[in-house]
Amino acid sequence: MAAYKRVLLKLSGEALMGDDSYGINRQTIERMVAEVSEVSASGVELAVVIGGGNIFRGIAPGAAGMDRATADYMGMMATVMNALALQDAFRRAGVEARVQSALNIEQVVEPYIRPKAIRYLEEGKIVIFAAGTGNPFFTTDTAAALRGSEIGAEVVLKATKVDGIYTADPNKDPTATRYETISFNEAISKNLEVMDATAFALCRDQKLPIRVFSINKPGALNRAVAGENEGTLVHM
């Protein structure tokens, strides 16, 4: 039985790449959709905030020296592209999903409207939040913390390529150990990179726990939603 009724899944754009250098790997997105669909079918209300790094990475050399605000708006558009791809993958899997964007692109996706997003969740639909917060200088981590707080999520599930938070970089230090749980204050004092500072502070202030886990680990999402010891739980 799921430990949470409503969750916010933060999915990086890089997670969609699989082994590719950029773009969307079809097998990877289909596997993720299958896992998310299984969680949704169990009765958990699930929203997704998706990044755009996989698409933006493909044009990164051309963005060198670009004005930061302009580059950030380009990144927001990349998240919309990823959200549409994810919605289409859900459609092909027979799952209803709605995309809401912080930028107004009404010919393509719905604008973000909080009451409508909550209604969709209550109806059992998956809601994909695109375009970050709609503002430059804020990351999709901050969007995840903000949207999670707005919709009343019980936890932010941050899906990464690493199965939790470690005492050091496990790829560089073989002696690094994984934290099963850690407090917000301890993570700050140890300068552990959980989310960017704005997002992390918002989750702490709203008492919104974060669970960091590997999206590449089979069954990890199910175990995280069930409240099992998967990845690392950051809490008050």
Side-chain angles (χ1 to χ4, degrees):
M1 184 176 180
Y4 304 106
K5 180 182 178 182
R6 182 177 294 171
V7 304
L8 189 290
L9 174 64
K10 168 55 173 63
L11 191 60
S12 69
E14 287 83 353
L16 302 181
M17 288 165 37
D19 295 326
D20 299 340
S21 56
Y22 62 88
I24 298 171
N25 181 283
R26 180 54 54 189
Q27 289 182 327
T28 298
I29 195 172
E30 287 177 353
R31 176 180 57 78
M32 289 181 185
V33 161
E35 292 200 18
V36 173
S37 299
E38 185 178 348
V39 169
S40 178
S42 71
V44 176
E45 297 174 4
L46 195 146
V48 181
V49 166
I50 192 163
N54 60 317
I55 293 175
F56 199 67
R57 180 176 298 182
I59 59 173
M66 184 179 290
D67 174 75
R68 168 65 189 274
T70 299
D72 281 357
Y73 279 118
M74 291 173 64
M76 291 179 215
M77 298 302 295
T79 71
V80 175
M81 295 168 68
N82 277 338
L84 288 171
L86 192 59
Q87 181 189 39
D88 183 70
F90 278 121
R91 179 189 61 79
R92 287 185 285 105
V95 178
E96 282 196 82
R98 296 287 187 271
V99 177
Q100 290 196 342
S101 169
L103 294 178
N104 287 329
I105 324 173
E106 293 187 36
Q107 294 91 336
V108 182
V109 292
E110 297 180 22
Y112 169 66
I113 300 174
R114 176 177 174 269
K116 185 177 284 189
I118 292 173
R119 188 175 78 243
Y120 284 151
L121 292 171
E122 292 172 344
E123 291 171 351
K125 298 179 177 70
I126 293 170
V127 181
I128 306 167
F129 296 122
T133 66
N135 303 285
F137 308 107
F138 291 95
T139 68
T140 50
D141 275 352
T142 300
L146 178 61
R147 296 291 183 250
S149 300
E150 287 183 301
I151 66 172
E154 298 168 280
V155 65
V156 170
L157 303 176
K158 182 170 181 181
T160 70
K161 292 186 176 181
V162 182
D163 64 337
I165 303 170
Y166 281 75
T167 54
D169 187 342
N171 295 318
K172 299 177 181 178
D173 185 355
T175 65
T177 56
R178 178 177 62 86
Y179 292 100
E180 292 187 4
T181 65
I182 189 169
S183 70
F184 283 104
N185 290 337
E186 187 179 359
I188 291 171
S189 66
K190 292 183 177 180
N191 199 30
L192 299 175
E193 296 182 1
V194 181
M195 285 182 161
D196 70 78
T198 304
F200 194 69
L202 180 55
C203 285
R204 181 188 61 180
D205 293 346
Q206 296 301 315
K207 298 180 176 59
L208 179 60
I210 306 164
R211 184 171 289 277
V212 182
F213 70 103
S214 172
I215 193 64
N216 295 322
K217 190 175 177 183
L221 177 59
N222 265 301
R223 291 189 292 274
V225 170
E228 297 181 18
N229 179 24
E230 184 64 44
T232 302
L233 179 67
V234 188
H235 58 90
M236 292 299 294

